Amino acid sequence: MATNGSSRYDAVIVGGGHNGLVAAAYLARAGYRVLVLERLARTGGAAVSAAAFPGVDARLSRYSYLVSLLPAKVVRELGLRLELRRRRISSYTPAVRDGKPTGLLVDAGDPGRTGESFRALTGSDREWRAWREFYGTTGRVAERVFPTLTEPLPSRAELRRRVGDGAAWTDLFERPLGETVERTFTDDLVRGVVLTDALIGTFTHAHDPALRQNRCFLYHVIGNGTGDWDVPVGGMGAVTDALAAAALAAGAEIRTGHEVTAIAGDGRGEAEVSYRHADGEATVAARRVLVNAAPATLARLLGTAPEPAPEGAQLKVNMVLRRLPRLRDPGADPRDAFAGTFHIAEGYRQLERAYAEAAAGRMPSAPPSEIYCHTLTDPSILGPEAVRQGLQTLTLFGLHMPARLFGDPAAKEHALAASLAQLDAVLAEPIADCLAVDADGRPCVEARTPPELERELGLPGGHIFHRDLAFPFLPEEPGGTGEGTAAERWGVATARPDVLLCGAGAVRGGGVSGIPGHNAARAALEDLAGPTR
């Protein structure tokens, strides 16, 4: 992409993932000279679309696939040409009751229909009342917490004051989420549906005393003050395209195929950023370096000791189907069931059993996962011939699949087969019978394990959040004033004052949000005295 040959910049951004592009757009719009260096041949990191199957005209969101945390504020301020489409169906969870297949449908557009589904499944209104009360509480917390994510970090006490509900604060921020789930709900399936938001991308359990599950749950239910998860029209690549266009239009330079190899300097003058590309190696100077990469990668670039290695724990599967499969539940329409989040083997006890097995180093006997069909909400990712053929896409995200399970080369096929077997258990026909085939006659199904995500995207251990998520308030330090540097106040500080973290590993990171990019840019803008020409 563009280059002006300069070797001195106000800001060099390491990594052209979506957060790096957000930071580049903000800084360039403020008049600063900005250079983005991306290792891969394209921008976007995990937020990309790809034609994964030869001869099949479908551009799949290959890695990340839904959007919740991207603030409307960022979309508006950067003038992003982007459409996020709301899913009417929140979720469907198949079940067997009294020996008969049934399921729980949560229709965000029809509370009456959802209530009837709860009653049919559980035999009373109790769980439906509990559900409405519980998510009413999380909704109020979302309205109060989400705006703080694009502000300087509040103290723990300030955030608690803003939440304004002592019981909710205790349940979400202080006690293991499992206690609240078990106290609030009695039905195992309902408990499991609630718990899944605490486990996506986080290898933990309901009663983890470190509260990893609480932090994960919080980020999954506060997006834009509603917790809704939306479909990016055109796929995740459309998000990246909009961000890259905004950064370029503001004057940022973006160089792909340029891998940063080191960041030097003493933190008091200009930093030196070394990189390599197809034509050799080079170094540029920068007043600020914003790192859109994992903290473990940053430690390597700085030559410092890394923190303990993170571990991802998911299996991502992409499929293209000739048609949607029929379900065992005779009352379920596949076009409803697969339009939202389709929960598989995610009862509460099933989730806990799968975690225990994986923690012991064994592949879960009944791998939990969730599926959704992008094309039911947004068919634009299909070409005209694929639309004519009636093709549909399915995305499966498997839980409790830690990197430690994939040392054996056969483990990936085992994990895929076991996950699809759990899907088949709730279908009226095998998923294999519904798969489209590519130009070579092969079924359109691909899987990605944590080690593959590390190799392809540079995610340490395949961890999609770069490391464990953090609560969105200032760390509590004995004797601390809470003032600190701009980077500390914005949650993007590193050991070097001239190096900021703008990836998912920042405080208030994780997910396709642009929040770390926004916050790193805000911290840099406070530090930089003015544009250097």
Side-chain angles (χ1 to χ4, degrees):
M1 294 187 181
T3 174
N4 65 7
S6 173
S7 61
R8 180 167 277 102
Y9 293 85
D10 294 304
V12 169
I13 297 174
V14 181
H18 81 280
N19 277 306
L21 297 173
V22 167
Y26 273 107
L27 290 169
R29 284 165 63 91
Y32 292 95
R33 176 166 289 167
V34 180
L35 171 65
V36 179
L37 297 172
E38 167 54 48
R39 174 180 65 92
L40 299 175
R42 41 87 181 150
T43 56
V48 295
S49 298
F53 306 108
V56 178
D57 194 1
R59 292 186 56 78
L60 305 176
S61 297
R62 198 163 211 166
Y63 304 107
S64 58
Y65 52 98
L66 289 171
V67 177
S68 175
L69 290 162
L70 178 62
K73 171 183 188 291
V74 170
V75 175
R76 182 177 63 255
E77 289 178 347
L78 296 184
L80 300 182
R81 297 174 64 86
L82 175 66
E83 180 183 354
L84 301 176
R85 192 167 291 170
R86 186 63 39 85
R87 301 184 299 173
R88 169 172 173 160
I89 302 299
S90 177
S91 68
Y92 171 79
T93 310
V96 175
R97 294 290 162 95
D98 299 324
K100 298 178 181 178
T102 183
L104 177 64
L105 181 73
V106 179
D107 184 337
D110 190 343
R113 186 185 186 197
T114 303
E116 180 54 38
S117 185
F118 268 88
R119 283 188 289 275
L121 179 79
T122 67
S124 76
D125 284 326
R126 187 211 176 276
E127 296 296 87
W128 174 226
R129 288 195 300 269
W131 178 277
R132 286 181 293 174
E133 181 177 348
F134 179 79
Y135 283 106
T137 297
T138 64
R140 290 187 293 275
V141 170
E143 290 173 354
R144 296 162 188 175
V145 171
F146 189 76
T148 72
L149 301 190
T150 48
E151 300 171 357
L153 276 165
S155 67
R156 183 187 185 102
E158 171 60 16
L159 189 62
R160 178 170 183 162
R161 185 193 67 77
R162 290 180 70 157
V163 167
D165 183 332
W169 179 268
T170 298
D171 287 346
L172 297 177
F173 292 85
E174 294 185 348
R175 299 299 307 164
L177 185 66
E179 295 179 5
T180 301
V181 172
E182 292 169 16
R183 183 181 70 245
T184 305
F185 303 100
T186 60
D187 188 271
D188 183 84
L189 190 77
V190 176
R191 286 176 171 178
V193 172
V194 175
L195 184 63
T196 56
D197 277 334
L199 304 177
I200 296 294
T202 301
F203 186 51
T204 188
H205 58 96
H207 290 277
D208 181 355
L211 304 185
R212 283 182 286 261
Q213 73 282 34
N214 291 52
R215 287 173 258 156
C216 184
F217 182 82
L218 184 71
Y219 284 96
H220 276 91
V221 300
I222 63 172
N224 276 293
T226 66
D228 290 315
W229 285 82
D230 297 336
V231 175
V233 174
M236 291 304 300
V239 178
T240 289
D241 291 347
L243 289 170
L248 289 169
E253 299 175 43
I254 301 175
R255 302 183 193 173
T256 57
H258 286 56
E259 180 178 8
V260 173
T261 55
I263 302 171
D266 59 9
R268 292 188 291 272
E270 290 183 334
E272 292 186 349
V273 180
S274 299
Y275 61 91
R276 57 175 168 246
H277 53 95
D279 298 324
E281 300 182 354
T283 299
V284 295
R287 299 169 66 198
R288 287 292 178 274
V289 180
L290 283 66
V291 179
N292 181 201
T297 301
L298 173 59
R300 176 174 56 77
L301 296 176
L302 292 174
T304 59
E307 59 187 37
E311 181 182 36
Q314 65 285 319
L315 181 74
K316 175 72 192 301
V317 182
N318 295 312
M319 294 174 269
V320 178
L321 309 182
R322 294 183 293 108
R323 55 181 169 78
L324 292 174
R326 293 176 289 111
L327 301 170
R328 292 185 186 273
D329 175 3
D333 181 344
R335 297 185 67 85
D336 281 343
F338 289 107
T341 299
F342 187 106
H343 296 281
I344 304 165
E346 288 191 332
Y348 195 71
R349 286 190 296 269
Q350 287 176 305
L351 288 167
E352 295 294 273
R353 186 182 310 115
Y355 171 79
E357 291 172 339
R362 301 190 303 273
M363 192 71 68
S365 53
S369 64
E370 39 202 60
I371 281 180
Y372 101 105
C373 175
H374 184 112
T375 42
L376 286 173
T377 303
D378 167 37
S380 73
I381 65 170
L382 299 174
E385 179 60 19
V387 171
R388 187 192 67 77
Q389 294 173 357
L391 300 188
Q392 302 282 2
T393 65
L394 280 189
T395 292
L396 181 149
F397 190 96
L399 283 64
H400 294 333
M401 290 285 182
R404 70 190 75 172
L405 300 182
F406 294 95
D408 182 340
K412 175 181 174 178
E413 291 307 314
H414 180 190
L416 176 60
S419 297
L420 295 183
Q422 290 302 307
L423 172 59
D424 281 347
V426 300
L427 300 180
E429 56 185 327
I431 190 65
D433 289 355
C434 301
L435 290 171
V437 295
D438 67 17
D440 300 317
R442 293 174 298 199
C444 291
V445 56
E446 69 166 13
R448 290 292 187 272
T449 65
E452 288 174 314
L453 293 180
E454 180 165 24
R455 289 194 298 271
E456 295 172 11
L457 301 176
L459 301 177
H463 200 304
I464 63 173
F465 303 143
H466 293 184
R467 60 179 173 182
D468 285 343
L469 295 166
F471 280 125
F473 48 69
L474 282 165
E476 294 181 316
E477 298 180 4
T481 64
E483 296 178 1
T485 66
E488 289 168 340
R489 287 185 285 104
W490 284 97
V492 296
T494 74
R496 290 249 311 251
D498 58 341
V499 178
L500 310 179
L501 194 61
C502 76
V507 180
R508 305 180 292 189
V512 178
S513 71
I515 291 170
H518 168 276
N519 293 345
R522 291 296 300 271
L525 288 170
E526 287 189 26
D527 284 345
L528 294 170
T532 298
R533 295 289 189 259

Short mmCIF file of all heavy atoms in Angstrom, two decimals, residues 392-448:
data_model
loop_
_atom_site.label_atom_id
_atom_site.label_comp_id
_atom_site.label_asym_id
_atom_site.label_seq_id
_atom_site.Cartn_x
_atom_site.Cartn_y
_atom_site.Cartn_z
N GLN A 392 -25.82 -22.18 2.00
CA GLN A 392 -25.82 -21.50 3.29
C GLN A 392 -24.46 -21.75 3.95
O GLN A 392 -23.78 -22.73 3.64
CB GLN A 392 -26.93 -22.03 4.21
CG GLN A 392 -28.33 -21.91 3.66
CD GLN A 392 -28.90 -20.51 3.77
OE1 GLN A 392 -28.24 -19.58 4.22
NE2 GLN A 392 -30.16 -20.34 3.35
N THR A 393 -24.07 -20.87 4.86
CA THR A 393 -22.83 -21.07 5.61
C THR A 393 -23.16 -21.44 7.05
O THR A 393 -24.19 -21.03 7.58
CB THR A 393 -21.96 -19.81 5.61
OG1 THR A 393 -22.65 -18.77 6.31
CG2 THR A 393 -21.65 -19.37 4.18
N LEU A 394 -22.27 -22.18 7.67
CA LEU A 394 -22.35 -22.44 9.11
C LEU A 394 -20.99 -22.18 9.73
O LEU A 394 -19.96 -22.60 9.18
CB LEU A 394 -22.76 -23.89 9.42
CG LEU A 394 -24.24 -24.29 9.33
CD1 LEU A 394 -24.42 -25.70 9.88
CD2 LEU A 394 -25.14 -23.31 10.08
N THR A 395 -21.00 -21.50 10.85
CA THR A 395 -19.79 -21.26 11.65
C THR A 395 -19.96 -21.99 12.97
O THR A 395 -20.95 -21.79 13.66
CB THR A 395 -19.60 -19.76 11.90
OG1 THR A 395 -19.29 -19.12 10.68
CG2 THR A 395 -18.48 -19.50 12.89
N LEU A 396 -18.99 -22.84 13.32
CA LEU A 396 -19.01 -23.55 14.60
C LEU A 396 -17.84 -23.08 15.44
O LEU A 396 -16.71 -23.02 14.96
CB LEU A 396 -18.93 -25.06 14.38
CG LEU A 396 -18.95 -25.96 15.63
CD1 LEU A 396 -19.62 -27.31 15.33
CD2 LEU A 396 -17.56 -26.21 16.20
N PHE A 397 -18.12 -22.74 16.68
CA PHE A 397 -17.08 -22.34 17.63
C PHE A 397 -17.12 -23.34 18.78
O PHE A 397 -18.07 -23.38 19.56
CB PHE A 397 -17.35 -20.92 18.14
CG PHE A 397 -16.21 -20.33 18.94
CD1 PHE A 397 -15.28 -19.50 18.32
CD2 PHE A 397 -16.06 -20.60 20.29
CE1 PHE A 397 -14.24 -18.95 19.05
CE2 PHE A 397 -15.02 -20.06 21.01
CZ PHE A 397 -14.10 -19.23 20.39
N GLY A 398 -16.07 -24.17 18.87
CA GLY A 398 -16.02 -25.19 19.90
C GLY A 398 -15.33 -24.70 21.15
O GLY A 398 -14.30 -24.02 21.10
N LEU A 399 -15.89 -25.03 22.31
CA LEU A 399 -15.35 -24.64 23.61
C LEU A 399 -14.51 -25.77 24.20
O LEU A 399 -14.61 -26.92 23.79
CB LEU A 399 -16.47 -24.30 24.58
CG LEU A 399 -17.17 -22.95 24.45
CD1 LEU A 399 -17.92 -22.82 23.15
CD2 LEU A 399 -18.13 -22.74 25.62
N HIS A 400 -13.72 -25.41 25.20
CA HIS A 400 -12.94 -26.38 25.99
C HIS A 400 -12.07 -27.27 25.10
O HIS A 400 -12.01 -28.49 25.26
CB HIS A 400 -13.86 -27.22 26.87
CG HIS A 400 -14.55 -26.42 27.94
ND1 HIS A 400 -14.03 -25.26 28.46
CD2 HIS A 400 -15.74 -26.62 28.59
CE1 HIS A 400 -14.86 -24.78 29.40
NE2 HIS A 400 -15.90 -25.58 29.48
N MET A 401 -11.39 -26.61 24.15
CA MET A 401 -10.44 -27.29 23.26
C MET A 401 -9.07 -26.63 23.42
O MET A 401 -8.57 -25.97 22.51
CB MET A 401 -10.92 -27.19 21.81
CG MET A 401 -12.14 -28.02 21.49
SD MET A 401 -11.70 -29.76 21.37
CE MET A 401 -13.30 -30.47 20.92
N PRO A 402 -8.44 -26.74 24.59
CA PRO A 402 -7.17 -26.05 24.82
C PRO A 402 -6.04 -26.56 23.94
O PRO A 402 -6.06 -27.71 23.48
CB PRO A 402 -6.89 -26.32 26.30
CG PRO A 402 -7.61 -27.60 26.59
CD PRO A 402 -8.85 -27.55 25.75
N ALA A 403 -5.06 -25.69 23.73
CA ALA A 403 -3.93 -26.02 22.86
C ALA A 403 -3.23 -27.29 23.29
O ALA A 403 -2.69 -28.04 22.47
CB ALA A 403 -2.94 -24.85 22.84
N ARG A 404 -3.24 -27.59 24.59
CA ARG A 404 -2.54 -28.77 25.10
C ARG A 404 -3.06 -30.08 24.50
O ARG A 404 -2.38 -31.09 24.53
CB ARG A 404 -2.66 -28.83 26.62
CG ARG A 404 -4.05 -29.15 27.14
CD ARG A 404 -4.20 -28.98 28.63
NE ARG A 404 -4.26 -27.56 28.99
CZ ARG A 404 -4.55 -27.13 30.21
NH1 ARG A 404 -4.79 -28.00 31.17
NH2 ARG A 404 -4.60 -25.82 30.47
N LEU A 405 -4.28 -30.05 23.97
CA LEU A 405 -4.87 -31.28 23.42
C LEU A 405 -4.39 -31.59 22.01
O LEU A 405 -4.70 -32.66 21.48
CB LEU A 405 -6.40 -31.17 23.40
CG LEU A 405 -7.10 -30.95 24.74
CD1 LEU A 405 -8.61 -30.91 24.54
CD2 LEU A 405 -6.72 -32.03 25.74
N PHE A 406 -3.65 -30.67 21.38
CA PHE A 406 -3.36 -30.82 19.96
C PHE A 406 -1.89 -31.12 19.66
O PHE A 406 -1.37 -30.78 18.60
CB PHE A 406 -3.83 -29.57 19.21
CG PHE A 406 -5.32 -29.42 19.24
CD1 PHE A 406 -5.94 -28.62 20.20
CD2 PHE A 406 -6.12 -30.11 18.35
CE1 PHE A 406 -7.32 -28.49 20.25
CE2 PHE A 406 -7.50 -29.99 18.39
CZ PHE A 406 -8.11 -29.18 19.34
N GLY A 407 -1.22 -31.81 20.58
CA GLY A 407 0.14 -32.25 20.33
C GLY A 407 0.21 -33.38 19.33
O GLY A 407 1.17 -33.51 18.56
N ASP A 408 -0.80 -34.24 19.33
CA ASP A 408 -0.88 -35.36 18.39
C ASP A 408 -1.46 -34.87 17.07
O ASP A 408 -2.51 -34.22 17.05
CB ASP A 408 -1.79 -36.44 19.00
CG ASP A 408 -1.90 -37.68 18.14
OD1 ASP A 408 -1.60 -37.61 16.93
OD2 ASP A 408 -2.31 -38.73 18.67
N PRO A 409 -0.80 -35.17 15.94
CA PRO A 409 -1.32 -34.72 14.64
C PRO A 409 -2.75 -35.18 14.35
O PRO A 409 -3.47 -34.54 13.58
CB PRO A 409 -0.33 -35.32 13.63
CG PRO A 409 0.93 -35.52 14.41
CD PRO A 409 0.50 -35.86 15.80
N ALA A 410 -3.16 -36.30 14.97
CA ALA A 410 -4.51 -36.81 14.72
C ALA A 410 -5.57 -36.11 15.56
O ALA A 410 -6.77 -36.31 15.36
CB ALA A 410 -4.55 -38.31 14.99
N ALA A 411 -5.13 -35.26 16.51
CA ALA A 411 -6.08 -34.66 17.45
C ALA A 411 -7.08 -33.74 16.76
O ALA A 411 -8.25 -33.68 17.14
CB ALA A 411 -5.32 -33.90 18.53
N LYS A 412 -6.63 -33.03 15.74
CA LYS A 412 -7.53 -32.10 15.06
C LYS A 412 -8.70 -32.85 14.42
O LYS A 412 -9.87 -32.44 14.59
CB LYS A 412 -6.77 -31.31 13.99
CG LYS A 412 -7.65 -30.40 13.15
CD LYS A 412 -6.83 -29.66 12.11
CE LYS A 412 -7.70 -28.86 11.17
NZ LYS A 412 -6.90 -28.10 10.17
N GLU A 413 -8.42 -33.93 13.70
CA GLU A 413 -9.50 -34.69 13.07
C GLU A 413 -10.40 -35.32 14.12
O GLU A 413 -11.62 -35.41 13.93
CB GLU A 413 -8.91 -35.75 12.15
CG GLU A 413 -8.23 -35.19 10.91
CD GLU A 413 -9.12 -34.24 10.14
OE1 GLU A 413 -10.31 -34.57 9.92
OE2 GLU A 413 -8.66 -33.16 9.75
N HIS A 414 -9.82 -35.74 15.24
CA HIS A 414 -10.62 -36.30 16.34
C HIS A 414 -11.55 -35.23 16.89
O HIS A 414 -12.75 -35.48 17.10
CB HIS A 414 -9.67 -36.82 17.42
CG HIS A 414 -10.39 -37.42 18.61
ND1 HIS A 414 -9.75 -37.76 19.77
CD2 HIS A 414 -11.70 -37.71 18.81
CE1 HIS A 414 -10.63 -38.23 20.63
NE2 HIS A 414 -11.82 -38.22 20.07
N ALA A 415 -11.02 -34.03 17.12
CA ALA A 415 -11.83 -32.95 17.68
C ALA A 415 -12.96 -32.56 16.72
O ALA A 415 -14.11 -32.34 17.13
CB ALA A 415 -10.96 -31.74 17.98
N LEU A 416 -12.65 -32.48 15.43
CA LEU A 416 -13.66 -32.12 14.44
C LEU A 416 -14.74 -33.19 14.37
O LEU A 416 -15.95 -32.88 14.40
CB LEU A 416 -13.01 -31.93 13.07
CG LEU A 416 -13.96 -31.66 11.91
CD1 LEU A 416 -14.76 -30.39 12.14
CD2 LEU A 416 -13.18 -31.56 10.59
N ALA A 417 -14.34 -34.45 14.31
CA ALA A 417 -15.31 -35.54 14.21
C ALA A 417 -16.19 -35.58 15.45
O ALA A 417 -17.42 -35.78 15.36
CB ALA A 417 -14.59 -36.87 14.02
N ALA A 418 -15.59 -35.40 16.63
CA ALA A 418 -16.37 -35.45 17.87
C ALA A 418 -17.35 -34.29 17.95
O ALA A 418 -18.49 -34.45 18.41
CB ALA A 418 -15.43 -35.45 19.07
N SER A 419 -16.93 -33.12 17.49
CA SER A 419 -17.82 -31.94 17.52
C SER A 419 -18.98 -32.11 16.55
O SER A 419 -20.14 -31.81 16.89
CB SER A 419 -17.02 -30.68 17.19
OG SER A 419 -16.02 -30.44 18.15
N LEU A 420 -18.70 -32.60 15.36
CA LEU A 420 -19.77 -32.80 14.39
C LEU A 420 -20.70 -33.93 14.81
O LEU A 420 -21.90 -33.91 14.49
CB LEU A 420 -19.18 -33.07 13.00
CG LEU A 420 -18.40 -31.91 12.37
CD1 LEU A 420 -17.94 -32.27 10.97
CD2 LEU A 420 -19.23 -30.63 12.34
N ALA A 421 -20.18 -34.90 15.55
CA ALA A 421 -21.03 -35.98 16.06
C ALA A 421 -22.05 -35.43 17.06
O ALA A 421 -23.21 -35.88 17.09
CB ALA A 421 -20.18 -37.07 16.72
N GLN A 422 -21.63 -34.46 17.89
CA GLN A 422 -22.58 -33.84 18.81
C GLN A 422 -23.64 -33.04 18.06
O GLN A 422 -24.80 -33.01 18.46
CB GLN A 422 -21.83 -32.94 19.80
CG GLN A 422 -20.98 -33.69 20.80
CD GLN A 422 -21.79 -34.67 21.63
OE1 GLN A 422 -22.81 -34.30 22.23
NE2 GLN A 422 -21.36 -35.92 21.64
N LEU A 423 -23.25 -32.42 16.95
CA LEU A 423 -24.24 -31.73 16.11
C LEU A 423 -25.19 -32.75 15.50
O LEU A 423 -26.43 -32.56 15.53
CB LEU A 423 -23.53 -30.94 15.03
CG LEU A 423 -24.41 -30.31 13.94
CD1 LEU A 423 -25.43 -29.35 14.54
CD2 LEU A 423 -23.54 -29.59 12.90
N ASP A 424 -24.66 -33.83 14.97
CA ASP A 424 -25.51 -34.86 14.36
C ASP A 424 -26.53 -35.41 15.35
O ASP A 424 -27.64 -35.81 14.95
CB ASP A 424 -24.65 -36.01 13.83
CG ASP A 424 -24.00 -35.69 12.49
OD1 ASP A 424 -24.40 -34.70 11.85
OD2 ASP A 424 -23.08 -36.43 12.08
N ALA A 425 -26.17 -35.44 16.62
CA ALA A 425 -27.06 -36.02 17.64
C ALA A 425 -28.36 -35.24 17.78
O ALA A 425 -29.36 -35.79 18.27
CB ALA A 425 -26.34 -36.08 18.99
N VAL A 426 -28.38 -33.98 17.32
CA VAL A 426 -29.61 -33.19 17.44
C VAL A 426 -30.25 -32.93 16.08
O VAL A 426 -31.26 -32.22 15.99
CB VAL A 426 -29.34 -31.85 18.17
CG1 VAL A 426 -28.82 -32.11 19.57
CG2 VAL A 426 -28.38 -30.97 17.39
N LEU A 427 -29.66 -33.50 15.02
CA LEU A 427 -30.21 -33.34 13.68
C LEU A 427 -30.99 -34.57 13.26
O LEU A 427 -30.75 -35.67 13.74
CB LEU A 427 -29.07 -33.11 12.68
CG LEU A 427 -28.17 -31.89 12.89
CD1 LEU A 427 -27.11 -31.83 11.79
CD2 LEU A 427 -28.98 -30.60 12.94
N ALA A 428 -31.90 -34.35 12.31
CA ALA A 428 -32.68 -35.46 11.76
C ALA A 428 -31.96 -36.10 10.58
O ALA A 428 -32.47 -37.06 9.99
CB ALA A 428 -34.06 -34.97 11.34
N GLU A 429 -30.81 -35.57 10.22
CA GLU A 429 -30.00 -36.10 9.12
C GLU A 429 -28.56 -35.71 9.38
O GLU A 429 -28.29 -34.67 10.00
CB GLU A 429 -30.47 -35.53 7.78
CG GLU A 429 -30.48 -34.01 7.75
CD GLU A 429 -31.07 -33.47 6.46
OE1 GLU A 429 -30.89 -34.12 5.42
OE2 GLU A 429 -31.71 -32.39 6.51
N PRO A 430 -27.58 -36.48 8.93
CA PRO A 430 -26.18 -36.15 9.19
C PRO A 430 -25.79 -34.85 8.51
O PRO A 430 -26.21 -34.59 7.37
CB PRO A 430 -25.40 -37.33 8.61
CG PRO A 430 -26.42 -38.43 8.45
CD PRO A 430 -27.73 -37.76 8.20
N ILE A 431 -24.98 -34.05 9.18
CA ILE A 431 -24.52 -32.80 8.58
C ILE A 431 -23.73 -33.08 7.31
O ILE A 431 -23.73 -32.28 6.37
CB ILE A 431 -23.69 -31.98 9.60
CG1 ILE A 431 -23.42 -30.57 9.06
CG2 ILE A 431 -22.38 -32.67 9.94
CD1 ILE A 431 -24.63 -29.72 8.90
N ALA A 432 -23.04 -34.23 7.25
CA ALA A 432 -22.26 -34.58 6.06
C ALA A 432 -23.12 -34.64 4.81
O ALA A 432 -22.65 -34.34 3.70
CB ALA A 432 -21.55 -35.91 6.26
N ASP A 433 -24.41 -35.01 4.97
CA ASP A 433 -25.30 -35.09 3.81
C ASP A 433 -25.70 -33.72 3.29
O ASP A 433 -26.24 -33.62 2.18
CB ASP A 433 -26.56 -35.87 4.18
CG ASP A 433 -26.30 -37.36 4.37
OD1 ASP A 433 -25.16 -37.79 4.14
OD2 ASP A 433 -27.23 -38.07 4.78
N CYS A 434 -25.45 -32.68 4.08
CA CYS A 434 -25.86 -31.33 3.70
C CYS A 434 -24.71 -30.48 3.20
O CYS A 434 -24.94 -29.38 2.67
CB CYS A 434 -26.52 -30.64 4.90
SG CYS A 434 -27.96 -31.49 5.56
N LEU A 435 -23.48 -30.97 3.36
CA LEU A 435 -22.32 -30.17 2.97
C LEU A 435 -22.24 -30.00 1.46
O LEU A 435 -22.45 -30.96 0.70
CB LEU A 435 -21.04 -30.82 3.48
CG LEU A 435 -20.79 -30.80 4.99
CD1 LEU A 435 -19.59 -31.67 5.33
CD2 LEU A 435 -20.56 -29.36 5.49
N ALA A 436 -21.91 -28.79 1.02
CA ALA A 436 -21.56 -28.57 -0.38
C ALA A 436 -20.17 -29.16 -0.63
O ALA A 436 -19.43 -29.49 0.32
CB ALA A 436 -21.57 -27.08 -0.68
N VAL A 437 -19.80 -29.30 -1.88
CA VAL A 437 -18.46 -29.78 -2.23
C VAL A 437 -17.77 -28.71 -3.06
O VAL A 437 -18.41 -27.93 -3.78
CB VAL A 437 -18.49 -31.12 -2.99
CG1 VAL A 437 -19.05 -32.23 -2.11
CG2 VAL A 437 -19.31 -30.99 -4.27
N ASP A 438 -16.43 -28.67 -2.95
CA ASP A 438 -15.68 -27.67 -3.69
C ASP A 438 -15.36 -28.16 -5.10
O ASP A 438 -15.83 -29.23 -5.54
CB ASP A 438 -14.42 -27.27 -2.92
CG ASP A 438 -13.40 -28.40 -2.80
OD1 ASP A 438 -13.48 -29.40 -3.55
OD2 ASP A 438 -12.49 -28.28 -1.95
N ALA A 439 -14.56 -27.39 -5.83
CA ALA A 439 -14.26 -27.71 -7.22
C ALA A 439 -13.51 -29.04 -7.36
O ALA A 439 -13.52 -29.64 -8.44
CB ALA A 439 -13.43 -26.59 -7.83
N ASP A 440 -12.89 -29.49 -6.29
CA ASP A 440 -12.16 -30.77 -6.31
C ASP A 440 -12.99 -31.92 -5.76
O ASP A 440 -12.46 -33.02 -5.56
CB ASP A 440 -10.86 -30.64 -5.52
CG ASP A 440 -9.94 -29.57 -6.10
OD1 ASP A 440 -9.82 -29.53 -7.35
OD2 ASP A 440 -9.37 -28.79 -5.32
N GLY A 441 -14.27 -31.66 -5.47
CA GLY A 441 -15.15 -32.71 -4.97
C GLY A 441 -15.02 -32.98 -3.49
O GLY A 441 -15.57 -33.96 -2.99
N ARG A 442 -14.35 -32.08 -2.74
CA ARG A 442 -14.16 -32.28 -1.31
C ARG A 442 -15.24 -31.54 -0.53
O ARG A 442 -15.67 -30.45 -0.92
CB ARG A 442 -12.78 -31.78 -0.88
CG ARG A 442 -11.63 -32.60 -1.45
CD ARG A 442 -10.29 -31.99 -1.13
NE ARG A 442 -10.19 -30.66 -1.73
CZ ARG A 442 -9.03 -30.03 -1.94
NH1 ARG A 442 -7.89 -30.62 -1.61
NH2 ARG A 442 -9.00 -28.83 -2.49
N PRO A 443 -15.71 -32.12 0.59
CA PRO A 443 -16.71 -31.44 1.41
C PRO A 443 -16.20 -30.08 1.88
O PRO A 443 -15.02 -29.93 2.23
CB PRO A 443 -16.92 -32.40 2.59
CG PRO A 443 -16.45 -33.72 2.09
CD PRO A 443 -15.34 -33.44 1.14
N CYS A 444 -17.09 -29.12 1.91
CA CYS A 444 -16.73 -27.76 2.32
C CYS A 444 -16.76 -27.62 3.83
O CYS A 444 -17.73 -27.11 4.43
CB CYS A 444 -17.68 -26.74 1.68
SG CYS A 444 -17.49 -26.59 -0.11
N VAL A 445 -15.72 -28.10 4.47
CA VAL A 445 -15.57 -27.98 5.92
C VAL A 445 -14.10 -27.80 6.23
O VAL A 445 -13.25 -28.53 5.70
CB VAL A 445 -16.17 -29.19 6.66
CG1 VAL A 445 -15.56 -30.51 6.18
CG2 VAL A 445 -16.01 -29.05 8.17
N GLU A 446 -13.77 -26.80 7.02
CA GLU A 446 -12.39 -26.57 7.46
C GLU A 446 -12.39 -26.26 8.94
O GLU A 446 -13.36 -25.68 9.47
CB GLU A 446 -11.72 -25.43 6.69
CG GLU A 446 -12.28 -24.07 7.00
CD GLU A 446 -11.40 -22.92 6.50
OE1 GLU A 446 -10.48 -23.18 5.69
OE2 GLU A 446 -11.64 -21.77 6.92
N ALA A 447 -11.32 -26.64 9.63
CA ALA A 447 -11.21 -26.40 11.07
C ALA A 447 -9.89 -25.72 11.37
O ALA A 447 -8.89 -25.92 10.67
CB ALA A 447 -11.32 -27.71 11.83
N ARG A 448 -9.89 -24.91 12.44
CA ARG A 448 -8.69 -24.26 12.92
C ARG A 448 -8.56 -24.50 14.42
O ARG A 448 -9.48 -24.24 15.19
CB ARG A 448 -8.73 -22.75 12.65
CG ARG A 448 -8.62 -22.38 11.18
CD ARG A 448 -7.22 -22.70 10.65
NE ARG A 448 -6.99 -22.22 9.29
CZ ARG A 448 -7.29 -22.92 8.19
NH1 ARG A 448 -7.86 -24.12 8.30
NH2 ARG A 448 -7.03 -22.44 6.99
#
